[in-house]
Amino acid sequence: MLNVSVKHLSFSYDKDLILDDINMKVKAGAFICLLGQSGCGKSTFLRLLAGLEKPNSGEIFVNNESVKKADLQRGVVFQDYGLFPWMTAGENIMIALKQKFKNLSFSQRKAEALRRMKDVKLAESVFDKLPKELSGGMKQRCAIARAFSIDPPILLMDEPFGALDAVTRIKLQDLVLELWKKETANRKTIFFVTHDVDEALLLATDIFVFGQTPSKIIYTHSFENDKKLDRKTIHDDSEAMALRNHLIKIIHNEVQIKSNI
Ligand SMILES: Nc1ncnc2c1ncn2[C@@H]1O[C@H](COP(=O)(O)OP(=O)(O)OP(=O)(O)O)[C@@H](O)[C@H]1O
């Protein structure tokens, strides 16, 4: 389990300042949801966490070690699945396993890939199918299986369910929560970008809201004792409803807020 801290992080694309002095302390095993308007820099922030971009100033630390480049400690799941189109679903998982577990034989990797597919409720027959033969939900299950197969202590998820229909989205939200919760001793620290406040309320132990560019963190909310809301509470409970409405107003600049941190 790994803690993450972000200290005075700033980042520009050429001359455009996108992230301006971002600070964050995240405890190991937290489920962090990142909210903010389109274009505010959430994906950019995830790319910095992944080590795919370098900050102009400031640093990201994972257990006090500065992030300098991408590595297998941080897995990534993208909205567009990121599967190699020329490989079958099974091969997409096996190639990730090969990177991480170099000593596994082919049959061991195949067995592990099948086990990971079962975890995300994909039938064995999907193993030999190409991504183009799968529905969006199946592709995303495959991408999730691949990310979990290398067992990264930190998982970065960039709007993973943004392209899916409502029912599939609900199923995959439940699946990710189930996978995250079942690792009680070694829970992953998840950073999850979403536009959807309800999704954040359902998944998050902590919510961070980014303002518009140059973006700062303008609001945070942590649930006490990592208590999680269920779907019914989000829609029926007055406190949860008030938080939901408040978050929506903050994201859409309807309330003037400097920062609550
Ligand atoms: N490779 C790039 N080169 C130049 N500018 C970029 C690049 N990637 C993103 N940007 C710009 O940086 C800003 C932040 O983009 P980013 O994708 O991080 O925002 P976001 O909050 O994730 O948006 P969305 O919610 O729409 O995905 C935007 O203005 C975008 O146009």
Side-chain angles (χ1 to χ4, degrees), residues 132-183:
K132 69 176 181 194
E133 299 175 282
L134 305 177
S135 69
M138 288 159 96
K139 279 189 269 214
Q140 201 51 291
R141 281 178 198 270
C142 183
I144 292 167
R146 183 178 60 181
F148 274 82
S149 73
I150 59 165
D151 201 23
I154 298 170
L155 191 55
L156 310 172
M157 306 185 81
D158 194 355
E159 280 194 74
F161 311 144
L164 304 176
D165 67 90
V167 174
T168 308
R169 194 176 178 125
I170 285 173
K171 286 185 183 160
L172 289 193
Q173 288 165 346
D174 290 344
L175 172 72
V176 165
L177 264 185
E178 183 192 316
L179 293 172
W180 174 75
K181 275 185 187 163
K182 83 174 182 194
E183 294 180 309

Side-chain angles (χ1 to χ4, degrees), residues 13 18 36-45 158-159 193 195 213:
Y13 287 113
I18 306 295
Q37 281 193 25
S38 183
C40 71
K42 304 178 296 296
S43 299
T44 301
F45 179 66
D158 194 355
E159 280 194 74
V193 168
H195 279 117
T213 55

Side-chain angles (χ1 to χ4, degrees), residues 4 51 70 93 95 115 130 136 157 159 183 195 212 222 229 260:
V4 177
I93 301 171
I95 196 165
R115 186 176 78 78
L130 290 169
M157 306 185 81
E159 280 194 74
E183 294 180 309
H195 279 117
Q212 281 166 292
S222 295
L229 301 178
N260 71 336

Side-chain angles (χ1 to χ4, degrees), residues 27-213:
K27 63 178 188 301
F31 200 130
I32 305 298
C33 283
L34 307 173
L35 285 168
Q37 281 193 25
S38 183
C40 71
K42 304 178 296 296
S43 299
T44 301
F45 179 66
L46 228 55
R47 289 178 60 77
L48 284 151
L49 284 175
L52 297 170
E53 302 282 359
K54 290 203 182 346
N56 299 14
S57 58
E59 259 178 300
I60 297 169
F61 295 92
V62 174
N63 273 8
N64 300 322
E65 208 172 298
S66 178
V67 168
K68 299 285 183 213
K69 59 178 173 50
D71 64 41
L72 294 171
Q73 193 184 51
R74 296 175 304 282
V76 189
V77 177
F78 298 106
Q79 182 177 346
D80 63 1
Y81 323 116
L83 300 173
F84 296 120
W86 60 90
M87 286 184 187
T88 67
E91 286 167 348
N92 265 285
I93 301 171
M94 283 178 69
I95 196 165
L97 286 165
K98 192 173 184 178
Q99 250 190 311
K100 173 82 184 253
F101 305 106
K102 296 194 170 27
N103 295 329
L104 288 187
S105 67
F106 180 88
S107 58
Q108 284 171 320
R109 278 191 289 125
K110 182 161 184 183
E112 180 62 9
L114 283 166
R115 186 176 78 78
R116 294 293 179 171
M117 285 173 65
K118 194 170 171 200
D119 281 352
V120 298
K121 298 165 183 71
L122 281 176
E124 248 188 84
S125 57
V126 173
F127 189 94
D128 290 319
K129 293 208 186 311
L130 290 169
K132 69 176 181 194
E133 299 175 282
L134 305 177
S135 69
M138 288 159 96
K139 279 189 269 214
Q140 201 51 291
R141 281 178 198 270
C142 183
I144 292 167
R146 183 178 60 181
F148 274 82
S149 73
I150 59 165
D151 201 23
I154 298 170
L155 191 55
L156 310 172
M157 306 185 81
D158 194 355
E159 280 194 74
F161 311 144
L164 304 176
D165 67 90
V167 174
T168 308
R169 194 176 178 125
I170 285 173
K171 286 185 183 160
L172 289 193
Q173 288 165 346
D174 290 344
L175 172 72
V176 165
L177 264 185
E178 183 192 316
L179 293 172
W180 174 75
K181 275 185 187 163
K182 83 174 182 194
E183 294 180 309
T184 42
N186 244 342
R187 206 164 263 175
K188 296 190 192 319
T189 310
I190 299 185
F191 289 84
F192 188 106
V193 168
T194 178
H195 279 117
D196 181 345
V197 171
D198 286 356
E199 185 165 72
L201 288 170
L202 181 81
L203 298 176
T205 55
D206 307 83
I207 293 174
F208 289 81
V209 182
F210 285 75
Q212 281 166 292
T213 55

